[in-house]
Amino acid sequence: NAGVMQNPRHLVRRRGQEARLRCSPMKGHSHVYWYRQLPEEGLKFMVYLQKENIIDESGMPKERFSAEFPKEGPSILRIQQVVRGDSAAYFCASSPRSGEKLFFGSGTQLSVL
Amino acid sequence: EDQVTQSPEALRLQEGESSSLNCSYTVSGLRGLFWYRQDPGKGPEFLFTLYSAGEEKEKERLKATLTKKESFLHITAPKPEDSATYLCAPYEDDKIIFGKGTRLHILP
């Protein structure tokens, strides 16, 4: 049973470009969380999704950021018109049910030039 | 407003020197609390879940305890391989909030 898969592992974008981060949850998991982490900082909650639904997006900036978790395929975190301040590690986690422990992926390191 | 505060921010111990890490939270309707370990460049790895005050969980040199307002992660006779950042995450609803963590460094 493969763990949570995130790709790409590293992503380099120039200012103004779009970044798409992908997350395939563990088999049987229908709950996905996205977190952002800056160096020496903790994990900052961004968004919580279940299949085809956004449950809580209170941690996600209102502009330029969006997330989806379609019926088929991975969850996508999309950042439009990236700026240097978007540079960070983005982690995805999944769980089989609400309130259960999260299984994390290895993260995507986004660097904006 | 910080809901989760972990202390100390960083801790250096000699191998074999026991200590405790603290996680204080202001979550009112606590449903549970997670402890995770994170190594540099990797995703967090699950350690424990605690559900109610008075509960304790143990794994090798680690023991986690929970009160109504805080949780402790006790590390007994640590080894260099225990060096990592330890994160706690209390939760009351579907949103799981993590503290900033304690960076633990065990010197051989």
Side-chain angles (χ1 to χ4, degrees):
Chain A
N1 187 11
V4 177
M5 304 301 291
Q6 288 189 251
N7 66 81
R9 190 78 173 88
H10 300 276
L11 182 61
V12 179
R13 285 288 178 266
R14 296 191 181 279
R15 281 179 297 171
Q17 290 184 321
E18 178 179 288
R20 281 189 177 228
L21 287 62
R22 294 175 183 77
C23 170
S24 296
M26 287 183 70
K27 186 177 180 180
H29 287 195
S30 58
H31 299 246
V32 166
Y33 299 75
W34 285 94
Y35 291 85
R36 168 183 161 135
Q37 188 173 42
L38 293 168
E40 308 298 318
E41 294 285 328
L43 293 161
K44 184 177 178 184
F45 170 81
M46 297 183 73
V47 62
Y48 163 45
L49 311 101
Q50 292 182 34
K51 279 289 186 181
E52 300 184 272
N53 292 305
I54 296 175
I55 306 302
D56 187 330
E57 57 182 347
S58 59
M60 202 154 67
K62 296 273 188 289
E63 297 180 358
R64 302 190 297 109
F65 286 72
S66 62
E68 63 177 11
F69 187 18
K71 186 176 180 180
E72 300 291 338
S75 175
I76 305 287
L77 180 66
R78 182 183 178 201
I79 310 173
Q80 295 178 291
Q81 299 176 319
V82 296
V83 300
R84 289 218 172 110
D86 296 332
S87 296
Y90 292 83
F91 287 96
C92 166
S94 72
S95 69
R97 282 169 290 278
S98 172
E100 295 203 6
K101 66 184 180 186
L102 304 182
F103 293 81
F104 280 85
S106 297
T108 292
Q109 181 65 52
L110 173 65
S111 298
V112 180
L113 305 178
Chain B
E1 177 188 342
D2 284 344
Q3 292 180 283
V4 189
T5 303
Q6 290 191 246
S7 62
E9 290 186 10
L11 182 62
R12 294 167 69 93
L13 299 172
Q14 290 294 138
E15 183 173 0
E17 182 183 0
S18 302
S19 189
S20 294
L21 314 182
N22 176 263
C23 170
S24 299
Y25 56 89
T26 57
V27 171
S28 55
L30 186 76
R31 289 175 56 194
L33 183 144
F34 299 120
W35 278 99
Y36 280 81
R37 167 193 172 127
Q38 186 176 24
D39 293 294
K42 296 186 176 182
E45 177 185 338
F46 173 78
L47 292 173
F48 304 108
T49 307
L50 300 167
Y51 292 104
S52 57
E55 187 175 1
E56 297 183 353
K57 293 270 179 77
E58 282 190 70
K59 180 181 179 181
E60 296 182 358
R61 295 176 292 282
L62 298 176
K63 183 170 79 173
T65 62
L66 182 65
T67 71
K68 287 189 176 180
K69 290 296 181 186
E70 55 191 352
S71 178
F72 293 92
L73 185 65
H74 309 277
I75 182 161
T76 303
K79 298 181 178 181
E81 55 261 41
D82 295 321
S83 298
T85 296
Y86 290 86
L87 302 165
C88 76
Y91 67 96
E92 60 179 334
D93 51 26
D94 293 329
K95 185 169 67 178
I96 300 172
I97 304 297
F98 282 81
K100 292 185 177 180
T102 293
R103 295 188 304 279
L104 179 64
H105 186 57
I106 309 299
L107 302 166

